[in-house]
Amino acid sequence: MAQDVHCIIGASGQLGTEMALSLKAAGERVVLMDIKPPTYSGILDLPFERIDVCDAAGLADRIAHHHVNHIHHLAAALSARGEQDPQWAWNLNMKGLLNVLEIAAGALQPMRIFWPSSIAVFGPESGPIAGQEEHRWPATVYGISKNVGEQWCAWYRRNRGVDVRSVRYPGLIGTLAPPGGGTTDYAVEVFDHLDNAEPYSCFLEASERLPMMHMDDAVDAALSIMSAPQEAMRCEEAYNIQAMSFSPEELFVEIRRHVPDFRWTYAPDFRQGIAAGWPDGLDDRMAREDWGWSPTVDLPQLVDTMVRARRFKEPALGAV
Ligand code: AKB
């Protein structure tokens, strides 16, 4: 049997970089695609195609050229950036997804797609711990695009037989590549301020609890759901998953256990309004039951790993 060929669209981003490294370490064939080249040294030897996911013909051509049969479509405008440029964000998020779904629907060989949704599908009217079937009325362009994207995935699954799998990611925290334009980004950028003379200024309020996850668990979730038997999937849309919930204050207190001189302050901006509409946590029982979702990194472990990686240049947990 021919080996699977994975393509990562958005491979130079925060999650794409970590996923590329993980697939490479597992001996998989991987092609990286993005509008900007990767920067992390550990993946520079992988084939790279500079391509815009909105270029349907170009994307289809490169996917056929490499005989790709597993697409990880990660390219997206995130919540904070999306509010600043709504038309651009909507176009990128919806056109990109529809191009990928169309390519899979018309493919000559069976294709499998991973496309991440987000906690941003929930809104101010959702409960504090969002259930799998929670009421969804997102308040951001990003959230609306993820919510509608989930419905497009369900439509392509039902009507065009596309095997597309999805999870609702919380905030993702890792070291290999920076995040870009998210509301949960404070929990990554703070680790670049550990040794600053000035206190770190947080753009969310002290008590704003959000669901979060270390990158190793995020990559593991994607690869687990991609290898699960299709019959096991009861969920028509995207599965809730999370690893932990914390507020900025809880994170910073944990950091101070490792960095006694670490100081912080709060200057909430428009991103606080976005975060306030998201749940504190998710009920992810269905993912645990259907495909064995089981996170491994908790808050103390996350902080320990991130502090070491930043201060002592040690590799992140799963980095090789
Ligand atoms: C964001 O903050 O926009 C993302 C997300 C929660 O999907 N990290």
Side-chain angles (χ1 to χ4, degrees):
M1 220 170 72
Q3 197 184 2
D4 290 328
V5 182
H6 298 256
C7 116
I8 303 175
I9 302 171
S12 305
Q14 190 199 16
L15 177 59
T17 301
E18 308 258 358
M19 194 176 283
L21 187 66
S22 193
L23 286 168
K24 175 183 150 179
E28 297 287 348
R29 289 180 62 192
V30 194
V31 183
L32 312 182
M33 299 190 186
D34 206 308
I35 47 169
K36 53 183 192 309
T39 52
Y40 178 63
S41 59
I43 57 169
L44 296 181
D45 57 335
L46 295 174
F48 170 70
E49 297 281 0
R50 190 189 284 262
I51 187 90
D52 180 350
V53 70
C54 293
D55 169 9
L59 186 66
D61 176 69
R62 292 298 83 197
I63 284 174
H65 173 82
H66 289 282
H67 305 287
V68 168
N69 66 342
H70 279 50
I71 303 178
H72 307 265
H73 171 35
L74 313 179
L78 299 185
S79 56
R81 180 83 174 80
E83 290 309 281
Q84 290 166 331
D85 201 342
Q87 302 290 335
W88 165 79
W90 181 256
N91 188 51
L92 170 59
N93 292 2
M94 294 324 308
K95 197 158 196 283
L97 175 61
L98 289 173
N99 284 346
V100 169
L101 290 169
E102 269 302 308
I103 289 169
L108 297 175
Q109 60 167 337
M111 269 286 175
R112 190 169 289 182
I113 299 174
F114 175 72
W115 171 79
S117 183
S118 162
I119 56 168
V121 297
F122 300 111
E125 291 159 40
S126 308
I129 305 297
Q132 182 62 50
E133 307 295 338
E134 188 74 35
H135 173 74
R136 303 202 301 271
W137 192 253
T140 60
V141 174
Y142 172 65
I144 299 168
S145 75
K146 289 295 182 186
N147 198 26
V148 173
E150 287 192 21
Q151 288 162 350
W152 270 118
C153 289
W155 187 90
Y156 271 86
R157 208 179 290 121
R158 275 196 309 269
N159 298 304
R160 306 285 297 276
V162 173
D163 182 359
V164 50
R165 298 156 184 228
S166 185
V167 297
R168 293 179 186 140
Y169 276 133
L172 301 183
I173 300 161
T175 52
L176 301 186
T183 300
T184 56
D185 291 4
Y186 86 88
V188 182
E189 74 173 31
V190 62
F191 291 98
D192 291 324
H193 293 258
L194 300 182
D195 297 317
N196 289 7
E198 292 297 307
Y200 170 66
S201 176
C202 180
F203 57 75
L204 298 187
E205 282 172 9
S207 60
E208 185 55 62
R209 273 176 93 76
L210 290 171
M212 299 280 185
M213 184 179 293
H214 185 265
M215 273 296 176
D216 281 4
D217 282 330
V219 172
D220 185 57
L223 302 185
S224 298
I225 197 172
M226 282 294 267
S227 58
Q230 209 173 9
E231 319 76 71
M233 309 279 173
R234 283 178 297 162
C235 179
E236 264 262 86
E237 296 169 325
Y239 281 89
N240 278 2
I241 55 167
Q242 80 157 80
M244 64 193 101
S245 286
F246 56 75
S247 66
E249 189 69 13
E250 286 165 329
L251 175 64
F252 303 157
V253 166
E254 185 64 31
I255 292 176
R256 198 169 50 193
R257 292 185 52 236
H258 298 257
V259 187
D261 292 340
F262 177 62
R263 299 282 175 272
W264 62 92
T265 178
Y266 293 97
D269 64 18
F270 75 99
R271 289 168 282 191
Q272 171 55 35
I274 299 176
W278 290 351
D280 298 355
L282 304 185
D283 177 348
D284 59 7
R285 273 175 298 178
M286 194 182 250
R288 290 171 187 266
E289 287 163 13
D290 285 8
W291 46 275
W293 162 241
S294 174
T296 57
V297 182
D298 61 11
L299 177 60
Q301 239 182 314
L302 174 107
V303 170
D304 185 53
T305 308
M306 293 296 293
V307 170
R308 282 171 191 278
R310 281 289 182 261
R311 300 196 97 181
F312 310 116
K313 304 287 178 241
E314 284 190 13
L317 278 179
V320 286

